[in-house]
């Protein structure tokens, strides 16, 4: 019997390829409204500070998609899953990925986002665009909405927290004196009125990892809020650090950015440069857990979720 051919649209945020593409990228994020020269300079400077303007997210996404393709090949002898990239704010865009699948003759596909937690403003936006293009191309698509409590994802995060806590212990800081701060990208506060699952899903992952590590000295904090007039979800990680210091809650801080799965600007600048600098000024000892990138446990999480969505679509 011949194998079923199923497309897999792997969606990720996207990043520029060079500093002269930052303006077009930022304009796309701002839904077509170009940034002011000051805003553009501020963002370009942040990219420049991250290893001299190198854009790690692009290479990381490429590697994640290749590793996922291989994981799917090994775990699914009965189905020929074919991965395509679809980026939210850069080329190849989400629509390009769906078009490529259709051009290759695929009639059914699964979409998944390289972000474990669902918000109507994040994953919901990716899915909407993919669904619209799939309908235009005649591709039947199903989607993974979230995978924030998949046991292999929780295990991969737990191993990372444990590894950093061990380093703190070797340096003389027992684990109960280290405050673990789980973080994710902030969103406008208005998502709360929409009963968006994003905050609860993030807390659920944080709690699962904390329980697996057996730690009680932990909290959740937001990061990377947009520079807009509307209120964003807080407390921001920078305020979290100030409070930890002011209230003498801990001298050691471990940040685990579990809302992200890759090394990119929001981790390499907002945490490794901005938050670390503040922590040093405050006299706090600061560390961050390593990003998941192509961790086999993360690849298996994605592969399991894709196969489950595919099976579900066949039965419906
Ligand atoms: O490394 C890179 O080049 C890209 C890093 C990057 C990731 C990322 C992930 C998320 N974002 C989310 C929400 C928003 C909302 C706005 C917004 C704006 C920006 C800007 C940059 C940026 N984001 Fe992002 N985000 C990344 C980068 N993001 C740059 C523009 C400058 C700034 O505000 O810092 C506000 C848009 C608006 O103005 O309307 C909202 C969410 C995620 C995590 C889920 C995902 O990956 O999709 C949520 C990585």
């Amino acid at each position: 019997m011949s194998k079923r051919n199923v497309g897999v649209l792997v969606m990720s945020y996207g990043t520029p390829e060079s500093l002269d593409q930052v303006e077009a990228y930022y304009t796309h994020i701002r839904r077509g409204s170009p940034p002011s020269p000051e805003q553009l300079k501020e963002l370009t400077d942040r990219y420049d500070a991250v290893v001299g303007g190198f854009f790690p997210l692009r290479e990381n996404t490429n590697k994640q998609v290749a590793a996922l393709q291989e994981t799917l090949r090994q775990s699914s002898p009965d189905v020929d899953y074919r991965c395509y990239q679809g980026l939210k704010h850069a080329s190849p865009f989400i629509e390009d990925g769906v078009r490529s699948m259709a051009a290759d003759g695929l009639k059914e596909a699964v979409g998944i986002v390289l972000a474990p937690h669902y918000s109507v403003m994040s994953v919901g936006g990716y899915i909407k665009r993919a669904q619209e293009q799939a309908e235009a191309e005649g591709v039947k698509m199903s989607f993974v909405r979230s995978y924030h409590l998949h046991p292999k994802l929780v295990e991969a995060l737990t191993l990372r927290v444990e590894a950093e806590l061990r380093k703190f212990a070797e340096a003389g800081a027992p684990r109960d004196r280290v405050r673990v701060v789980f973080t994710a990208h902030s969103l406008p506060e208005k998502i709360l009125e929409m009963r968006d699952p994003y905050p609860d899903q993030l807390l659920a992952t944080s709690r699962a990892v904390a329980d697996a590590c057996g730690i009680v000295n932990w909290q959740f904090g937001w990061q990377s809020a947009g520079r807009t007039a509307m209120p964003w979800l807080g407390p921001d990680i920078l305020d979290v650090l100030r409070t930890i210091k002011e209230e003498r809650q801990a001298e050691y801080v471990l940040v685990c950015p579990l809302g992200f799965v890759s090394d990119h600007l929001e981790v390499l600048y907002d945490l490794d440069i901005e938050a670390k600098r503040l922590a040093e000024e405050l006299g706090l000892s600061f560390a961050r857990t390593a990003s998941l990138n192509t961790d086999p446990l993360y690849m298996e999480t994605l592969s399991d979720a894709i196969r489950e969505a595919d099976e579900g679509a066949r039965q419906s």
Side-chain angles (χ1 to χ4, degrees):
M1 206 175 77
S2 66
K3 287 186 185 181
R4 285 170 58 235
N5 293 324
V6 178
V8 178
L9 184 67
V10 189
M11 294 177 276
S12 174
Y13 204 78
T15 188
E17 273 168 306
S18 58
L19 285 174
D20 59 7
Q21 286 181 9
V22 172
E23 185 168 10
Y25 173 71
Y26 202 173
T27 303
H28 193 273
I29 290 177
R30 292 163 50 87
R31 293 172 294 280
S33 155
S36 67
E38 296 74 34
Q39 288 170 318
L40 180 60
K41 181 174 183 324
E42 196 269 339
L43 181 57
T44 309
D45 285 351
R46 273 193 283 150
Y47 276 117
D48 213 17
V50 176
V51 243
F54 168 68
F55 296 85
L57 180 58
R58 189 161 287 267
E59 198 183 335
N60 285 335
T61 303
N62 289 345
K63 285 184 182 160
Q64 284 174 319
V65 176
L68 174 59
Q69 179 69 75
E70 182 55 20
T71 308
L72 282 165
R73 193 186 64 73
Q74 285 178 13
S75 60
S76 318
D78 47 335
V79 185
D80 188 0
Y81 288 111
R82 296 191 199 162
C83 292
Y84 295 77
Q85 263 190 53
L87 307 180
K88 195 173 194 181
H89 296 300
S91 179
F93 288 98
I94 292 169
E95 292 77 6
D96 298 328
V98 179
R99 271 190 219 106
S100 299
M101 292 195 296
D104 289 348
L106 295 167
K107 296 277 176 244
E108 45 181 341
V110 178
I112 192 162
V113 181
L114 298 179
H117 306 87
Y118 181 91
S119 165
V120 70
M121 285 190 70
S122 62
V123 172
Y126 290 87
I127 292 179
K128 186 165 177 287
R129 282 172 53 186
Q131 183 66 55
E132 281 170 9
Q133 193 62 37
E135 280 167 19
E137 304 289 341
V139 178
K140 183 173 171 255
M141 270 196 95
S142 56
F143 292 94
V144 176
R145 285 167 60 91
S146 60
Y147 44 88
H148 63 290
L149 283 178
H150 192 293
K152 289 174 189 164
L153 178 81
V154 172
E155 185 186 345
L157 292 166
T158 301
L159 289 171
R160 280 164 171 71
V161 172
E162 289 285 1
E164 294 305 319
L165 288 176
R166 266 198 307 277
K167 285 189 209 159
F168 269 115
E170 282 159 17
R175 60 167 51 207
D176 57 343
R177 291 191 38 212
V178 181
R179 170 65 53 86
V180 179
V181 187
F182 298 103
T183 64
H185 202 295
S186 181
L187 281 175
E189 267 180 16
K190 68 177 183 216
I191 65 155
L192 300 178
E193 291 155 31
M194 305 174 194
R195 303 172 73 87
D196 194 83
Y198 188 63
D200 284 346
Q201 289 193 355
L202 286 161
L203 269 186
T205 311
S206 306
R207 205 170 286 122
V209 175
D211 287 351
C213 296
I215 51 172
V216 288
N217 191 3
W218 68 272
Q219 69 177 103
F220 185 81
W222 300 96
Q223 64 165 91
S224 315
R227 285 125 175 101
T228 62
M230 65 182 114
W232 288 66
L233 294 171
D236 184 84
I237 180 65
L238 301 181
D239 292 328
V240 168
L241 293 174
R242 290 186 189 102
T243 305
I244 289 173
K245 176 67 183 180
E246 275 161 27
E247 298 185 2
R248 298 175 187 223
Q249 296 171 351
E251 289 155 54
Y252 308 93
V253 177
L254 171 60
V255 174
C256 173
L258 50 66
F260 299 114
V261 298
S262 181
D263 282 321
H264 49 54
L265 190 70
E266 316 295 74
V267 171
L268 300 175
Y269 186 87
D270 295 359
L271 295 179
D272 290 3
I273 295 180
E274 195 179 36
K276 186 165 185 249
R277 187 166 48 209
L278 176 65
E280 280 168 6
E281 282 166 22
L282 295 169
L284 298 170
S285 183
F286 180 93
R288 160 178 81 78
T289 54
S291 298
L292 294 173
N293 293 320
T294 55
D295 185 319
L297 286 169
Y298 180 45
M299 294 303 116
E300 286 168 32
T301 301
L302 296 173
S303 155
D304 289 354
I306 289 162
R307 287 186 299 127
E308 196 181 310
D310 183 31
E311 277 305 308
R314 292 193 80 199
Q315 281 161 19
S316 65

